[in-house]
Amino acid sequence: MLDICKICCTFALNLNNYAFMKNKRNRLQVISEILRSTVVGSQEELLKMLGERQCEVTQATLSRDLKLLKVAKTPLSNGTYKYILPSYNKPLPNQGAFNTLIAHGAVLSLEFSGQLAVVKTKPGYASAIAWDIDNKATEQVLGTIAGDDTILVIPREGITREDILDMLNVTFAEKN
Amino acid sequence: MLDICKICCTFALNLNNYAFMKNKRNRLQVISEILRSTVVGSQEELLKMLGERQCEVTQATLSRDLKLLKVAKTPLSNGTYKYILPSYNKPLPNQGAFNTLIAHGAVLSLEFSGQLAVVKTKPGYASAIAWDIDNKATEQVLGTIAGDDTILVIPREGITREDILDMLNVTFAEKN
DNA sequence: ATGATTGCGGTATTTATATTCATTTAATAT
DNA sequence: ATATTAAATGAATATAAATACCGCAATCAT
């Protein structure tokens, strides 16, 4: 007897309309967005930002949310701290070049063989794209080896195909 | 007037002899090792582990150390937390000749993923080093694939990580 | 319906972490 | 050596973050 909660449903259909929403799901979304686009150094700070976006909660809830989202707190070089989303929903810094290449059809295919991934590219493009992958997915990828039109991607230990797919999906998604 | 601190020098040469060391440099090293090999959820916990390794400090110092090392605290799926090292100061997996080569700068790192090993080198060095490996380690190594700055080493079946490390140490010992 | 169950979220609190301040220790210059 | 400067550290404290506890509201099972 599957019955869908009307409220949840409503919100599910309005994921991007933050104005009048005050449920968890949306809040998590908002938190993600903020953390993706801003350097936030404490929960209090984040709390304030949430407030500005009509998400009024307490620090306790925020702490729970961050735990749920697996947001890590990491020191920065400038002596401050930053909350960062886990890699699979982390923005790839400087997405420009890589996506442009995809958009232009430089990346032809992606296939897996066991733990390894192979990216086929237009001739000559491999090293350029491999460099991008190296730099944007250091968390998932141990290294890449590029020939002329083929890149071998070696995921880190513990990284699943899904992880790699997620990582690339984010990238691929951006092209549209 | 460049004069090298004798103590630092000593310690630099004895990075693995923790027994009698109680300086910062070493402690950071120890902390790295612990975090690399253990799930640590709080500074207190880490503090205890340090104590067991003759690094007795206070939480204050530890906090500063972690900040220095840019260690992030991240939630795990099981509801606990973990301190994680940033990827760029990940393991220099062992000591010895190979590390000397690392120190000399041509080989930047060696990491394993499953049965495979990936060697990172300075740009342009990969094929040269791969060639050496190919020729001197046919017993352990099935083959290598070199890009510009990355070598994929494919060990033969039954060859352990230890074997590979030993091989590399032997192979590169002669070079210095 | 009605009681059970679950998940969310706030308050108060505990626990954990960062920092200030004072002191010691080590490096550098004289 | 000795003085000077800088780095490292501990004790105490301030700040930040996690959680125990409670109540509420929504769903579920009967």
Side-chain angles (χ1 to χ4, degrees):
Chain A
M1 202 164 294
L2 264 189
D3 219 349
I4 297 170
C5 163
K6 284 147 293 172
I7 296 175
C8 283
C9 181
T10 301
F11 287 147
L13 294 173
N14 286 282
L15 264 185
N16 278 324
N17 184 352
Y18 304 138
F20 67 97
M21 290 196 282
K22 216 213 148 180
N23 64 346
K24 188 174 180 178
R25 175 182 203 153
N26 168 62
R27 194 181 56 240
L28 295 178
Q29 184 81 10
V30 174
I31 290 171
S32 293
E33 285 201 9
I34 293 175
L35 295 185
R36 212 176 290 129
S37 57
T38 322
V39 174
V40 181
S42 77
Q43 296 186 6
E44 259 187 280
E45 210 179 312
L46 184 48
L47 221 53
K48 209 172 297 171
M49 293 183 172
L50 283 173
E52 291 166 5
R53 292 164 206 229
Q54 328 304 325
C55 289
E56 318 248 351
V57 284
T58 59
Q59 178 264 326
T61 300
L62 184 50
S63 171
R64 289 184 271 247
D65 285 352
L66 293 179
K67 188 172 189 175
L68 211 70
L69 290 173
K70 307 225 188 316
V71 171
K73 186 188 183 184
T74 189
L76 298 180
S77 312
N78 69 6
T80 65
Y81 294 82
K82 181 186 179 186
Y83 282 88
I84 51 170
L85 291 161
S87 54
Y88 52 83
N89 46 16
K90 203 198 310 188
L92 306 175
N94 283 328
Q95 286 153 347
F98 189 62
N99 288 318
T100 303
L101 288 170
I102 293 170
H104 289 7
V107 172
L108 304 178
S109 71
L110 164 71
E111 287 185 87
F112 287 94
S113 172
Q115 168 78 351
L116 301 173
V118 173
V119 176
K120 286 284 194 177
T121 71
K122 273 166 117 169
Y125 282 77
S127 14
I129 292 167
W131 188 88
D132 281 337
I133 294 176
D134 266 340
N135 283 286
K136 291 170 185 167
T138 46
E139 307 227 354
Q140 294 90 3
V141 170
L142 206 63
T144 61
I145 298 172
D148 184 58
D149 62 358
T150 302
I151 307 166
L152 177 62
V153 177
I154 300 124
R156 288 186 185 279
E157 224 155 29
I159 295 295
T160 66
R161 271 185 203 200
E162 264 72 41
D163 293 333
I164 296 292
L165 269 174
D166 285 350
M167 181 273 287
L168 291 171
N169 271 336
V170 171
T171 307
F172 275 99
E174 307 272 11
K175 83 175 162 181
N176 299 312
Chain B
M1 201 165 292
L2 262 188
D3 220 351
I4 297 169
C5 165
K6 282 147 294 171
I7 296 173
C8 284
C9 183
T10 301
F11 288 149
L13 295 172
N14 287 282
L15 268 182
N16 276 325
N17 185 352
Y18 304 137
F20 66 96
M21 289 197 282
K22 215 211 150 188
N23 64 346
K24 187 173 179 181
R25 174 184 205 149
N26 169 64
R27 195 179 58 239
L28 295 178
Q29 184 81 10
V30 174
I31 291 172
S32 294
E33 285 201 8
I34 292 175
L35 295 184
R36 211 176 290 131
S37 56
T38 324
V39 175
V40 181
S42 76
Q43 295 185 7
E44 259 187 285
E45 207 179 315
L46 183 49
L47 219 54
K48 209 172 298 171
M49 294 184 171
L50 283 173
E52 292 166 4
R53 292 162 207 230
Q54 331 303 325
C55 288
E56 318 247 351
V57 283
T58 58
Q59 178 266 324
T61 300
L62 183 49
S63 171
R64 289 184 271 246
D65 285 352
L66 293 178
K67 188 172 188 176
L68 210 70
L69 290 172
K70 307 226 188 317
V71 170
K73 186 188 185 184
T74 189
L76 298 180
S77 312
N78 69 4
T80 65
Y81 293 83
K82 179 185 180 189
Y83 282 87
I84 50 171
L85 291 163
S87 41
Y88 55 80
N89 55 12
K90 275 234 181 89
L92 294 185
N94 80 325
Q95 243 58 43
F98 188 65
N99 266 10
T100 305
L101 198 66
I102 289 175
H104 283 222
V107 173
L108 302 178
S109 71
L110 163 70
E111 287 187 76
F112 290 92
S113 179
Q115 169 76 353
L116 301 173
V118 171
V119 177
K120 287 279 198 175
T121 71
K122 283 215 303 218
Y125 281 75
S127 2
I129 292 170
W131 189 87
D132 281 340
I133 295 176
D134 268 340
N135 284 285
K136 295 182 178 166
T138 45
E139 298 202 350
Q140 295 89 2
V141 170
L142 206 68
T144 61
I145 303 172
D148 181 59
D149 62 1
T150 306
I151 307 165
L152 173 64
V153 178
I154 301 138
R156 291 187 184 280
E157 225 145 35
I159 297 295
T160 67
R161 290 180 182 197
E162 243 64 40
D163 295 334
I164 295 294
L165 273 172
D166 289 346
M167 176 277 286
L168 289 172
N169 281 325
V170 171
T171 300
F172 291 108
E174 306 162 5
K175 294 205 164 180
N176 301 293

